[in-house]
């Protein structure tokens, strides 16, 4: 066999093995170091503000980092306070209105049951009494089987629900611990940013340094672009819903629009969690006009989301709209809802590696050039 092909095969296996080992190593390391990865991401986000305070206000680096963290958390706390105040006001209103609608709904169910279900039950009873013994036993057995399956399903759901309560409660101390470590990591990483960057630069050869700089710059741009794109999409959805609710003269439109904007983060389901039950209830309760109006508004939200998402994602993370759309669909088909996030991120990583000529260098190594 040609020695050149043997060497290429060996180098190809080395590359594949290194990639596999690297992926698994990153995966398992990330499970125990994710607070520090979160801290690194936050440090990247606040670095422009820290650098500004350090240069313009002539603050020590540590003080600039501390003030930046305080400013950011003050802004978030203010926004959350306003949101909570609006939600509390809306909840107080709903606590008065919902019981009235619930009474109307129960009355509708009672009337429907009296007018439709009871006569249907009487007809079925007469038909059942005309059947022979074998047919009756078959029907009863099938009904019992259906009841058993429903009971088992409901029982399993309740068991899983209550079984997960300890896990949910145990999440809060863990989240607090992760938050503390992430904030500490953010402070120390941002404070020593220059030293850490210089130390990492010394460890890398010049060619790897250039490739790493390209990859890091593109990934940072893509990360901020992805966050900006998601915030833009959520903001557009919130504004459209707010305008639509104001046109429909819905009380506490701001509260409902904010809640709908928040749940729009959920992949695929999004605002349907709010609008679908609301539309069904309005239709059942006889308010057909409002049901149609809400249906049109929900349709507008869905259409704009499907049209704008590939365009906004592509413009903010620097990807082609068609490639972004393919990544969204492929991610969804492969791993479900999470794929709507993983797909574009994977596309960004692969494109970044290609721009940094990492694949070219690997191919040159395999060929022995």
């Amino acid at each position: 066999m040609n020695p050149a092909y043997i060497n290429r095969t060996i180098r190809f296996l080395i590359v594949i093995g290194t990639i596999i080992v690297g992926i698994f190593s990153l995966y398992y390391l990330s499970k125990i170091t994710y607070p520090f990865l979160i801290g690194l991401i936050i440090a990247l986000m606040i670095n422009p503000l820290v650098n500004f305070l350090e240069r313009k206000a002539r603050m020590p680096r540590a003080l600039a980092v501390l003030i930046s963290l305080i400013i950011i958390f003050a802004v978030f706390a203010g926004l959350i306070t306003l949101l909570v105040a609006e939600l509390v006001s809306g909840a107080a209103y709903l606590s008065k209105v919902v019981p009235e609608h619930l009474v109307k709904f129960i009355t509708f169910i009672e009337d429907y049951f009296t007018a439709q279900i009871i006569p249907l039950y009487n007809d079925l009873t007469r038909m059942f009494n005309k059947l022979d013994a074998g047919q009756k036993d078959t029907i009863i057995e099938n009904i019992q089987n259906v009841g058993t399956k429903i009971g088992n399903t409901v029982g399993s759901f309740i068991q899983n629900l209550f079984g997960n309560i300890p896990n949910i409660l145990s999440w809060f101390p863990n989240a607090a611990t992760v938050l503390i470590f992430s904030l500490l990591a953010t402070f120390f990483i941002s404070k020593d940013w220059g030293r850490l960057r210089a130390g990492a630069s010394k460890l890398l050869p010049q060619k790897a340094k250039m490739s790493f700089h390209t990859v890091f710059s593109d990934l940072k741009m893509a990360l901020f672009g992805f966050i900006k794109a998601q915030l833009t999409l959520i903001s557009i959805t919130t504004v459209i819903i707010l305008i639509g609710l104001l046109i429909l003269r819905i009380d506490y439109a701001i509260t409902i629009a904010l809640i709908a904007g928040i749940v729009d983060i959920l992949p695929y389901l999004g605002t349907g969690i709010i609008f679908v039950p609301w539309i069904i209830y309005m239709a059942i309760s006889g308010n057909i006009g409002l049901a149609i109006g809400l249906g049109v508004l929900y349709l507008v939200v869905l259409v704009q989301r499907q049209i704008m998402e590939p365009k906004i994602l592509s413009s903010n993370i620097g990807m082609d709209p068609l490639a972004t759309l393919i990544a969204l669909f492929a991610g969804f088909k492969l791993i479900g809802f999470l794929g709507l996030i993983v797909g574009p991120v994977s596309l960004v990583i692969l494109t970044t590696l290609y721009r940094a000529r990492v694949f070219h260098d690997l191919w040159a190594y395999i060929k022995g050039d």
Side-chain angles (χ1 to χ4, degrees):
M1 185 179 290
N2 192 333
Y5 288 108
I6 296 177
N7 292 332
R8 290 177 181 177
T9 303
I10 293 174
R11 285 192 289 267
F12 175 76
L13 294 176
I14 291 173
V15 169
I16 296 298
T18 303
I19 292 174
I20 294 174
V21 171
I23 291 174
F24 278 98
S25 299
L26 287 174
Y27 173 73
Y28 285 107
L29 283 174
S30 64
K31 293 176 69 174
I32 59 176
T33 61
Y34 65 92
F36 306 98
L37 295 176
I38 296 173
L40 175 61
I41 293 172
I42 298 175
L44 281 171
M45 296 175 66
I46 68 172
N47 256 348
L49 179 58
V50 173
N51 294 334
F52 175 81
L53 293 176
E54 186 181 19
R55 287 196 302 265
K56 300 297 183 180
R58 299 186 181 279
M59 292 182 181
R61 181 80 182 181
L63 181 60
V65 173
L66 184 60
I67 291 178
S68 299
L69 288 174
I70 292 174
I71 291 174
I72 291 174
F73 277 93
V75 171
F76 274 106
L79 292 175
I80 292 174
T81 301
L82 291 175
L83 177 62
V84 169
E86 182 65 26
L87 291 178
V88 169
S89 176
Y93 168 77
L94 292 176
S95 66
K96 298 178 181 178
V97 174
V98 168
E100 298 176 3
H101 288 289
L102 186 60
V103 170
K104 293 180 181 178
F105 181 72
I106 293 174
T107 303
F108 172 80
I109 295 296
E110 291 174 349
D111 293 340
Y112 182 82
F113 189 85
T114 303
Q116 303 293 332
I117 304 300
I118 292 179
L120 179 61
Y121 171 77
N122 293 330
D123 293 338
L124 291 175
T125 302
R126 285 193 294 268
M127 293 174 59
F128 181 78
N129 291 330
K130 294 179 180 179
L131 299 176
D132 56 43
Q135 292 173 326
K136 291 180 180 179
D137 292 338
T138 302
I139 293 174
I140 293 173
E141 184 179 354
N142 289 330
I143 293 174
Q144 290 175 344
N145 290 335
V146 171
T148 301
K149 290 180 181 179
I150 294 175
N152 291 335
T153 302
V154 173
S156 299
F157 173 77
I158 295 174
Q159 184 179 4
N160 293 331
L161 178 64
F162 285 100
N164 287 325
I165 289 178
N167 296 329
I168 296 173
L169 294 178
S170 65
W171 178 83
F172 289 99
N174 181 65
T177 304
V178 170
L179 178 62
I180 293 172
F181 275 94
S182 297
L183 291 177
L184 291 174
T186 301
F187 177 80
F188 289 112
I189 290 173
S190 185
K191 182 177 73 71
D192 298 328
W193 184 261
R195 183 175 61 84
L196 294 174
R197 185 174 181 178
S201 179
K202 291 178 181 178
L203 296 175
L204 295 174
Q206 186 62 30
K207 185 174 180 58
K209 193 187 304 182
M210 295 175 61
S211 298
F212 178 79
H213 178 72
T214 304
V215 172
F216 181 77
S217 299
D218 286 359
L219 286 179
K220 183 171 70 171
M221 181 187 70
L223 172 65
F224 287 113
F226 186 80
I227 295 174
K228 180 182 176 183
Q230 293 300 324
L231 292 177
T232 302
L233 289 169
I234 293 171
S235 301
I236 292 173
T237 299
T238 303
V239 170
I240 291 176
I241 292 175
L242 178 59
I243 293 173
L245 294 180
L246 290 175
I247 293 174
L248 295 173
R249 297 183 180 181
I250 302 295
D251 293 328
Y252 286 89
I254 296 177
T255 302
I256 299 172
L258 289 174
I259 295 174
I262 293 172
V263 301
D264 192 45
I265 298 174
L266 298 175
Y268 197 70
L269 297 176
T271 53
I273 296 177
I274 294 176
F275 275 96
V276 172
W278 194 3
I279 293 169
I280 293 174
Y281 172 75
M282 288 294 107
I284 291 176
S285 61
N287 198 339
I288 304 300
L290 183 56
I292 294 174
L294 292 173
V296 172
L297 177 59
Y298 180 49
L299 184 62
V300 170
V301 171
L302 282 181
V303 171
Q304 72 83 20
R305 180 79 184 194
Q306 298 303 316
I307 293 175
M308 298 299 293
E309 185 169 12
K311 180 177 177 57
I312 292 177
L313 280 176
S314 62
S315 61
N316 281 278
I317 64 180
M319 298 288 105
D320 180 76
L322 179 60
T324 305
L325 185 63
I326 293 173
L328 287 168
F329 182 77
F332 173 72
K333 295 299 290 184
L334 289 174
I335 57 176
F337 299 146
L338 187 61
L340 296 175
I341 297 175
V342 174
V345 172
S346 301
L347 177 63
V348 168
I349 294 174
L350 292 175
T351 306
T352 302
L353 294 176
Y354 178 79
R355 289 174 180 170
R357 300 186 65 83
V358 173
F359 296 129
H360 300 78
D361 294 339
L362 289 176
W363 181 245
Y365 170 77
I366 292 172
K367 290 173 62 179
D369 294 343

